Amino acid sequence: LHFRYELNADSILRASYSTALNRPDFMHTAPYRTLGDLETSAVAEGNPNVKAAYAHNLDVSYEHYLRPLGLLSVAAFYKRINDPLFIATHSESIGNGLSRQVTRPENGNSGQVHGLELAWQQTFDFLPAPLDGFGIYGNYTWAKSRADLPFGAGSTELPGTSRTNYNLALTYEKHGLNARLAYNYRSRFIQSFDVDSPELNIYWDDRASLDFSASYKLNRNWRLFTEVNNINDTRQVRFQGKR
């Protein structure tokens, strides 16, 4: 359900309700099991019984269009998730007082995400040539999530959800040249959970990268293209427990 109301020629209010489905990956549902040489070796396995996560989404936004070409927007969102998906590790008893660690996909009971999005996009057509080809784009997202862990082990943030994301890009488009210098940042997020020992949870650390891309149109049929990724040479760091 989508609602749209024009306050004036340049300002629009929007509201919507929608649903979404997040099916498990194939390897999450495949009936496989891998284990080491010892009876107590850690086990990784698929879970054919894991369910798809189902979300109810509410969104509200305000957009103001800047002449000749630009946009300012603010949006709030809320998502209610049934059966959120986790990669979880727990202890499994194998008798004689022995146990082993089992890692497999599991469903939590419920989860939620709420947050705020801000965006600004602007071309500088009003500047004298050749500066009138410049433009800027920026967005910021703050999101807070919570989900119930499997096996009634409490709650945590949803896997793969950073609290903060933002992007800032300087663009140039004129005379067949299209160039973009973009800075992107995401904060730390959790990847997988150890239900019995939370200090062994696995995280991806925060990361910022600077990227550049450009293309030049030679004629109707030919275009030159170049791309430079991660100019500031930052690493993707994954760690267990504390960094």
Side-chain angles (χ1 to χ4, degrees):
L1 295 174
H2 300 280
F3 299 91
R4 179 181 183 274
Y5 181 73
E6 288 190 13
L7 297 172
N8 54 53
D10 297 321
S11 301
I12 299 175
L13 285 174
R14 301 181 192 268
S16 69
Y17 163 77
S18 61
T19 61
L21 193 67
N22 180 22
R23 291 187 174 89
D25 293 341
F26 173 76
M27 286 302 293
H28 291 165
T29 58
Y32 76 92
R33 169 173 275 210
T34 60
L35 61 160
D37 297 329
L38 302 178
E39 191 177 12
T40 55
S41 295
V43 172
E45 63 183 15
N47 182 3
N49 295 318
V50 74
K51 302 175 184 177
Y54 192 87
H56 298 268
N57 312 303
L58 295 174
D59 298 271
V60 178
S61 68
Y62 169 75
E63 303 166 3
H64 180 70
Y65 292 88
L66 307 172
R67 299 176 185 270
L69 186 62
L71 170 70
L72 287 171
S73 70
V74 57
F77 60 88
Y78 173 82
K79 302 175 184 291
R80 171 75 179 181
I81 304 171
N82 299 328
D83 302 313
L85 295 166
F86 293 92
I87 303 298
T89 300
H90 68 281
S91 294
E92 177 184 77
S93 176
I94 56 176
N96 299 322
L98 300 176
S99 63
R100 59 187 174 196
Q101 298 298 107
V102 178
T103 300
R104 70 179 209 164
E106 299 283 358
N107 289 110
N109 182 38
S110 64
Q112 65 178 36
V113 186
H114 66 273
L116 185 70
E117 298 173 329
L118 304 173
W120 172 39
Q121 186 172 354
Q122 178 77 63
T123 58
F124 299 130
D125 306 56
F126 50 86
L127 295 177
L131 300 179
D132 55 346
F134 279 106
I136 194 168
Y137 173 76
N139 66 55
Y140 171 84
T141 301
W142 176 85
K144 186 175 182 180
S145 66
R146 184 202 60 78
D148 298 324
L149 283 167
F151 314 114
S155 62
T156 186
E157 291 187 320
L158 281 168
T161 305
S162 294
R163 182 69 62 90
T164 301
N165 292 272
Y166 61 83
N167 308 277
L168 184 64
L170 180 65
T171 63
Y172 187 84
E173 187 171 357
K174 196 173 179 67
H175 303 305
L177 176 64
N178 192 329
R180 177 184 178 92
L181 181 67
Y183 182 83
N184 311 289
Y185 171 83
R186 60 153 177 78
S187 61
R188 187 185 76 166
F189 65 86
I190 192 165
Q191 177 188 354
S192 60
F193 303 82
D194 191 308
V195 174
D196 300 316
S197 303
E199 66 275 8
L200 299 179
N201 290 344
I202 297 176
Y203 299 86
W204 284 97
D205 207 0
D206 62 332
R207 182 171 185 253
S209 65
L210 183 66
D211 306 315
F212 175 78
S213 63
S215 66
Y216 182 72
K217 185 178 180 181
L218 299 175
N219 54 43
R220 291 179 59 185
N221 301 315
W222 293 92
R223 182 183 294 268
L224 291 176
F225 179 83
T226 184
E227 187 174 272
V228 185
N229 292 322
N230 197 22
I231 297 171
N232 50 339
D233 196 26
T234 58
R235 300 177 180 179
Q236 294 193 71
V237 178
R238 186 171 64 168
F239 63 95
Q240 193 167 30
K242 293 186 178 180
R243 176 76 188 270

